[in-house]
Amino acid sequence: MNGAAGDSLVRMETAAGVATLTLDRPHKRNALSAAMVAALSRRLVEAGDDRAVRVVALRGAGGDFCAGADLAEIAASQGEGVEAGLADARGLGDVFIGIRRIEKPVVAVVRGRALGGGCGLATACDIVLAHPGAVFAYPEVHLGFVPALVMAVLRRKVGEAAAFELVARGHRVVASEAVTLGLATRVVADEDFDATVDTYLRDLASRPSTAVALAKRLLHSLGGSGFEDDIARGAEVNAIARLTRECRDGVRDFLRGKGG
């Protein structure tokens, strides 16, 4: 898929200093295909380079934010060895790093389900605004898989104990609990959700951009210099985990309609 066609998977609209990037694969619950991940990387660079953009908002088309990795692609990669899986995992890792590097605040607006890599995508953002009906989870363990790539982000947001419980149990967390844990920043009331979110984003965009950029840069620098190394290690574990028998069986059963 060429760049122009791939970019249709992530729509970009800019207004009042806010660039809204919409994952546009609703028939697949916005599952993260390699083409969508590449398009998202490009869109983040585009938004970062646009001087008119002061805030980046990330949404999902349809009823869900993002269902996580495209399991059909993972199944295909299992027959191609570690290198194929590593290349795929590094693509999403580059998105997480891109969100961290961009000096503008990146805000995830989460409706419906944010699962697996989709939950990681939301957690990687600077701010997460959740609909009251939003659900967050890292359910990979049920497939015999490891959400390794997102751990560099997750442990920074919720701490080691909470992060381990989330990935070891793979249970679903409602919006209010997500705020308590640190997966989400705040729950936005259902009434006039979109209008309230729009007001929030425009208000954030009105803040002095240099001060916001400096605050973001300083905040992330305080965590140490190992983030990209953590992403690289997570990508390696991701690639290895997808080749295990448990993961092969879990993905196969899911694609055959046996999974949840």
Side-chain angles (χ1 to χ4, degrees):
M1 180 177 290
N2 61 40
D7 285 348
S8 68
L9 295 172
V10 181
R11 292 186 282 109
M12 180 171 172
E13 300 171 306
T14 303
V18 180
T20 300
L21 310 185
T22 303
L23 306 179
D24 196 9
R25 207 184 176 207
H27 61 293
K28 292 288 188 179
R29 292 190 291 155
N30 302 315
L32 295 167
S33 65
M36 176 180 278
V37 169
L40 182 54
S41 286
R42 291 191 293 270
R43 291 302 197 191
L44 285 168
V45 171
E46 185 178 347
D49 290 343
D50 188 343
R51 292 189 176 184
V53 172
R54 301 166 74 93
V55 172
V56 179
L58 184 58
R59 295 175 177 261
D64 290 304
F65 179 73
C66 177
D70 187 318
L71 292 182
E73 289 193 358
I74 285 184
S77 76
Q78 288 171 330
E80 299 174 3
V82 171
E83 287 303 317
L86 189 57
D88 182 48
R90 281 174 173 163
L92 184 57
D94 287 342
V95 170
F96 292 167
I97 292 170
I99 291 172
R100 177 73 49 117
R101 282 180 174 173
I102 189 173
E103 292 191 336
K104 301 160 186 181
V106 182
V107 182
V109 181
V110 179
R111 280 183 177 271
R113 288 163 285 195
L115 306 179
C119 189
L121 185 59
T123 309
C125 293
D126 301 300
I127 295 171
V128 180
L129 304 180
H131 184 271
V135 176
F136 300 80
Y138 291 99
E140 288 92 334
V141 67
H142 299 296
L143 301 179
F145 196 29
V146 178
L149 194 61
V150 301
M151 288 189 191
V153 177
L154 187 60
R155 68 182 296 273
R156 285 168 164 79
K157 285 290 180 75
V158 305
E160 291 185 2
F164 182 73
E165 184 187 35
L166 286 166
V167 302
R169 291 189 61 212
H171 60 294
R172 298 192 174 195
V173 173
V174 298
S176 57
E177 186 180 356
V179 171
T180 300
L181 287 171
L183 282 175
T185 309
R186 64 178 63 211
V187 178
V188 178
D190 189 23
E191 299 81 9
D192 301 318
F193 176 81
D194 289 327
T196 301
V197 167
D198 184 62
T199 297
Y200 182 99
L201 295 172
R202 289 172 183 249
D203 181 65
L204 182 58
S206 72
R207 298 297 190 266
S209 58
T210 300
V212 171
L214 288 172
K216 177 174 178 175
R217 187 187 308 165
L218 176 60
L219 180 66
H220 293 318
S221 71
L222 294 176
S225 59
F227 182 79
E228 293 186 22
D229 288 339
D230 288 349
I231 287 290
R233 285 193 291 272
E236 291 170 2
V237 174
N238 178 297
I240 293 168
R242 72 175 65 196
L243 297 181
T244 64
R245 175 177 294 180
E246 292 87 349
C247 187
R248 290 177 186 271
D249 292 345
V251 171
R252 182 197 61 229
D253 290 345
F254 186 96
L255 293 174
R256 288 178 178 175
K258 298 180 183 178

